Amino acid sequence: FPADTRQKKEGIQLIQTYLENYYNFKKDGESDLIWKNNSPITKKIKEMQDFLGLEVTGKLDSDTLDLIQQPRCGFPDIAGFS
Amino acid sequence: TFAGEPKWTKKVLTYRILNYTPDLHPADVNAAIKKAFNVWSSVTPLKFVKEENDLADIMISFAVRGHNDFIPFDGPGGAVAHAYAPGTGFGGDAHFDEDETWTISTEGTNLFYVALHEFGHSLGLFHSKDPEALMYPIYRKFDPSVFPLHQDDINGIQHLYGHTPITYSDQRESSEVKEPDEPKEPALADTCSPDLTFDAVTTFRGEIMFFKDKYFWRKHPSLREVNVVLISSFWPRLPPGVDAAYEVPEKDETVLFKGNEFWVVRGDTILPGYPQKIYALGFPKDVTKIDAAFYNRNKGKIYFFIVDKFWSYNKRSQSMDRKPRQIREAFPGINGKIDAVFQHNDFFYFFHGRKQFEFDPGKKRVTRLLKTNFWFPC
């Protein structure tokens, strides 16, 4: 892939894993990764950005990409964990 | 807090370190873990006891990747540790990712700071949305000289367990210290004892005076030596066991309180007309003694602390508050009765039993938790 497409792909992988680990995101099929404004993953990104004090864009912007690569506590950020 | 607010019902909890990271000396791991528990003890009634062999409430271990629970670690970076809410089995346990480089400095992943966060979970705290709070999920570089708990963390843990109470032993200790009416001669306390407590502390002509029973220690903040002096050798008419003291530097006067009386001294001279009753200052009759006092030069106000409330006296308008206020409202993080307080540079130092809290009036929060003998060359 051209570099930026590959980076984008890596970013999508990162954010998906992060949301699965800490925001109870469950990807059921490829369609879940479509980035429409009200798609499941966009909603989850907004939820995560709100919790971590980021600008709530629903997009994988650089601040968001930077923060999800910081060391963190392994415990989820939202309930739904028992 | 977690859903359903799980918390421990007992106040003394046990912890056991099951294995050690090869990144640090075991003694450093023990110290970091103990220090983390001490911070939570400093703002709650909780006490923590290290268990060597048996099961403990909080089992602490280092592991990599899958480690027999539901959340495998992910190699270096990413998740560095996790812990479980209070409960049986895994409840309360804390797991640290051995794929991290554990340190006791601000480089790498600082064990004390991560453990402090994880034990917040072990005690029932969930993640905080406040980026300044310890319980915020992302680890950042931290300033080891600043008290690590933010007001948000303290509010959360005290919602679950209440404030630092005065335990009977503290009360007995402070009542012994405050009312040495028994004929026994209190021995001169050891200034380096971890159990050191004070009756009163004040600045005094550039020095700091630490009162205890019938003695006081004089210490210049920037010099090492400490002089111990019999109170009666300075002010023969003053009874032992000062309750509170404060200095008004611009008048070269120091005010000493005992019971419902007070004296004003200049150097080793008691000014004429003293003692007077504290009611002359504007206190109501139901106030029978002052626990601590200090003069805030910046505000021109004198603060008097009585149990968990305080009064302030405005020197300019010569007026006392009409009614007392809660200490913790004006001084967040300072809870319950205090033994002594004084101002040094731009900070207030509150003494409560064996603890000393450095308070930043600008930030309106506790910035350091110190030992009472912090000022002595121990």
Side-chain angles (χ1 to χ4, degrees):
Chain A
F1 292 99
D4 65 328
T5 315
R6 191 184 64 241
Q7 266 175 345
K8 198 160 184 169
K9 231 175 149 45
E10 284 167 3
I12 291 171
Q13 188 55 52
L14 265 175
I15 191 81
Q16 183 193 320
T17 306
Y18 198 88
L19 294 173
E20 284 168 348
N21 287 343
Y22 306 115
Y23 285 82
N24 215 18
F25 174 61
K26 291 183 174 43
K27 186 190 100 175
D28 293 338
E30 280 313 311
S31 62
D32 283 303
L33 283 181
I34 294 172
W35 295 56
K36 279 194 198 117
N37 202 24
N38 60 351
S39 68
I41 193 160
T42 304
K43 282 181 194 161
K44 276 297 175 185
I45 287 177
K46 287 181 177 176
E47 187 177 352
M48 181 262 283
Q49 288 170 330
D50 172 56
F51 191 98
L52 296 177
L54 292 165
E55 187 191 352
V56 179
T57 62
K59 294 180 172 37
L60 191 48
D61 50 58
S62 60
D63 284 351
T64 302
L65 199 54
D66 175 52
L67 198 71
I68 65 173
Q69 296 179 79
Q70 308 260 335
R72 58 158 290 149
C73 172
F75 208 89
D77 291 343
I78 58 165
F81 178 86
S82 62
Chain B
T1 57
F2 291 92
E5 290 199 3
K7 64 181 184 182
W8 301 97
T9 51
K10 51 190 176 179
K11 290 292 187 278
V12 179
L13 297 171
T14 55
Y15 69 92
R16 182 173 164 203
I17 304 173
L18 289 168
N19 64 342
Y20 286 79
T21 168
D23 300 343
L24 291 169
H25 191 284
D28 289 334
V29 175
N30 289 334
I33 297 294
K34 182 175 173 24
K35 185 179 165 191
F37 281 122
N38 283 346
V39 171
W40 288 117
S41 281
S42 73
V43 291
T44 63
L46 299 174
K47 298 273 184 270
F48 299 92
V49 176
K50 190 168 187 289
E51 187 58 66
E52 296 303 336
N53 305 304
D54 296 338
L55 269 179
D57 300 312
I58 298 172
M59 303 290 262
I60 296 160
S61 56
F62 291 81
V64 292
R65 302 289 179 183
H67 51 282
N68 304 321
D69 72 3
F70 318 103
I71 321 178
F73 283 129
D74 51 8
V80 299
H82 57 229
Y84 292 89
T88 56
F90 275 123
D93 293 357
H95 301 159
F96 297 82
D97 187 349
E98 188 45 68
D99 275 331
E100 310 308 325
T101 304
W102 293 103
T103 71
I104 52 175
S105 70
T106 52
E107 296 312 311
T109 310
N110 181 280
L111 179 59
F112 158 70
Y113 198 71
V114 173
L116 189 57
H117 174 105
E118 297 309 331
F119 297 159
H121 289 316
S122 305
L123 298 177
L125 289 187
F126 198 59
H127 278 148
S128 168
K129 298 172 80 167
D130 184 330
E132 293 297 307
L134 171 87
M135 293 312 290
Y136 184 70
I138 313 285
Y139 284 114
R140 288 136 307 155
K141 292 290 171 208
F142 76 106
D143 176 353
S145 71
V146 175
F147 187 63
L149 297 186
H150 187 267
Q151 196 57 46
D152 187 61
D153 307 304
I154 295 173
N155 293 344
I157 203 74
Q158 290 182 347
H159 169 75
L160 289 174
Y161 298 101
H163 301 293
T164 323
I166 299 204
T167 55
Y168 170 69
S169 58
D170 283 5
Q171 267 171 338
R172 187 164 45 77
E173 186 180 275
S174 59
S175 64
E176 270 176 354
V177 163
K178 295 289 187 188
E179 310 291 339
D181 296 330
E182 302 91 57
K184 69 173 173 45
E185 284 292 286
L188 173 60
D190 164 13
T191 50
C192 287
S193 158
D195 296 328
L196 180 67
T197 60
F198 292 112
D199 295 344
V201 182
T202 179
T203 54
F204 185 81
R205 295 183 165 180
E207 293 180 327
I208 305 170
M209 267 186 181
F210 299 86
F211 289 87
K212 173 89 175 175
D213 301 328
K214 62 180 194 172
Y215 302 97
F216 63 77
W217 288 275
R218 291 174 67 177
K219 169 85 176 55
H220 192 284
S222 46
L223 303 178
R224 270 184 66 84
E225 73 264 8
V226 182
N227 296 317
V228 62
V229 182
L230 267 170
I231 293 175
S232 55
S233 73
F234 241 61
W235 305 295
R237 282 190 296 119
L238 214 67
V242 168
D243 285 337
Y246 70 86
E247 177 187 21
V248 182
E250 57 265 32
K251 292 173 72 177
D252 187 21
E253 288 180 1
T254 300
V255 186
L256 305 167
F257 293 83
K258 173 70 189 168
N260 66 3
E261 295 184 311
F262 70 97
W263 291 255
V264 178
V265 301
R266 179 167 290 131
D268 59 1
T269 305
I270 295 181
L271 299 189
Y274 293 95
Q276 287 185 22
K277 295 294 184 195
I278 56 176
Y279 312 114
L281 297 172
F283 287 107
K285 290 295 183 197
D286 59 355
V287 171
T288 56
K289 73 190 278 271
I290 312 282
D291 291 327
F294 80 98
Y295 170 47
N296 181 347
R297 294 188 294 281
N298 314 347
K299 287 199 170 179
K301 280 193 171 186
I302 301 160
Y303 291 87
F304 299 94
F305 296 85
I306 299 163
V307 192
D308 60 354
K309 295 187 177 63
F310 75 93
W311 303 69
S312 68
Y313 178 83
N314 187 316
K315 273 176 66 43
R316 292 174 197 124
S317 62
Q318 308 274 314
S319 60
M320 180 71 86
D321 289 344
R322 279 186 311 102
K323 59 186 176 54
R325 283 179 286 164
Q326 286 285 336
I327 295 175
R328 66 170 182 272
E329 283 172 10
F331 304 94
I334 306 298
N335 301 303
K337 176 175 171 292
I338 55 167
D339 297 335
V341 58
F342 76 101
Q343 174 173 358
H344 177 62
N345 294 339
D346 292 325
F347 290 92
F348 305 156
Y349 292 88
F350 289 89
F351 293 80
H352 167 67
R354 293 180 283 276
K355 295 164 193 151
Q356 180 181 182
F357 297 89
E358 175 186 75
F359 185 90
D360 181 338
K363 293 181 185 164
K364 280 189 84 65
R365 69 186 183 96
V366 171
T367 45
R368 280 194 292 177
L369 171 67
L370 306 165
K371 290 183 183 147
T372 45
N373 62 23
F374 167 75
W375 300 89
F376 295 100
C378 293

